[in-house]
């Protein structure tokens, strides 16, 4: 479950580089061609939106927690935060985390398209390789490692 962008998230965004991740969520997808059976060690946002079944182990629980704050700071000019809640109130699945990342980027870019005639960002060629999990003063922060 997603809250509105920036809503109910802590007012202060910590510098996560000052902290050590307590966990890392690996993202992988199956190739979309007949040349390889090996999973790709990242997930393209557009491919995930269009063909979510390519995600490796989407229903696997990846973080035992009921809520967390998603922090997106690349490639955006201003970091975006969104509080997310596990659907089963026990643990997040890989699919829930990826869905939250995609929905948040879509909200950021939709807002950008409404406020400018020349949007700077696009989901094209943007993907997630891992999501680092930080515990900062009792709040779990999720920070995806984006690739483009």
């Amino acid at each position: 479950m997603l809250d509105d962008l920036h809503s109910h998230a802590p007012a202060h965004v910590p510098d996560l580089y000052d902290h050590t991740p307590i966990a890392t969520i690996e993202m992988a997808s199956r190739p979309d061609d007949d040349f390889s059976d090996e999973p790709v060690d990242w997930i393209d946002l557009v491919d995930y939106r269009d063909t979510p079944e390519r995600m490796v182990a989407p229903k696997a629980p990846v973080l035992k927690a009921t809520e967390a704050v998603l922090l997106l700071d690349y490639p955006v000019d201003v970091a975006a935060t969104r509080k997310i809640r596990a659907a089963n109130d026990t643990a997040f699945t890989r699919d829930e985390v990826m869905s939250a990342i995609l929905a948040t980027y879509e909200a950021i870019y939709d807002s950008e398209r409404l406020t400018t005639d020349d949007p700077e960002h696009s989901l094209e060629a943007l993907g997630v390789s891992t999501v680092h999990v930080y515990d900062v003063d009792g709040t779990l922060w999720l920070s995806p490692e984006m690739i483009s």
Side-chain angles (χ1 to χ4, degrees):
M1 176 189 295
L2 296 171
D3 282 345
D4 292 337
L5 197 58
H6 304 291
S7 71
H8 307 293
H12 170 72
V13 176
D15 184 352
L16 296 180
Y17 295 110
D18 291 340
H19 302 273
T20 302
I22 61 167
T24 300
I25 302 167
E26 301 294 332
M27 297 292 186
S29 61
R30 292 178 187 82
D32 64 350
D33 57 42
D34 295 329
F35 302 108
S36 173
D37 292 332
E38 293 297 315
V40 179
D41 62 354
W42 62 287
I43 299 175
D44 179 275
L45 290 178
V46 172
D47 285 347
Y48 174 75
R49 181 190 63 206
D50 297 343
T51 55
E53 65 275 7
R54 289 185 42 215
M55 175 185 272
V56 174
K59 300 303 178 196
V62 293
L63 179 62
K64 189 175 181 176
T66 58
E67 65 181 36
V69 178
L70 178 62
L71 171 65
L72 300 181
D73 60 0
Y74 177 86
V76 296
D77 297 326
V78 177
T81 59
R82 177 177 259 172
K83 186 179 269 189
I84 60 174
R85 291 180 182 80
N88 66 8
D89 289 326
T90 304
F92 288 96
T93 64
R94 185 173 278 108
D95 186 54
E96 284 179 296
V97 172
M98 190 64 185
S99 291
I101 293 168
L102 175 61
T104 304
Y105 273 112
E106 286 177 329
I108 293 166
Y109 295 166
D110 285 349
S111 175
E112 184 178 85
R113 280 190 289 280
L114 293 173
T115 59
T116 181
D117 292 332
D118 188 22
E120 183 179 338
H121 300 103
S122 166
L123 292 177
E124 301 296 324
L126 188 61
V128 181
S129 60
T130 58
V131 178
H132 301 289
V133 181
Y134 299 87
D135 184 339
V136 180
D137 300 326
T139 298
L140 291 181
W141 290 83
L142 306 182
S143 177
E145 189 169 314
M146 305 305 295
I147 54 176
S148 58

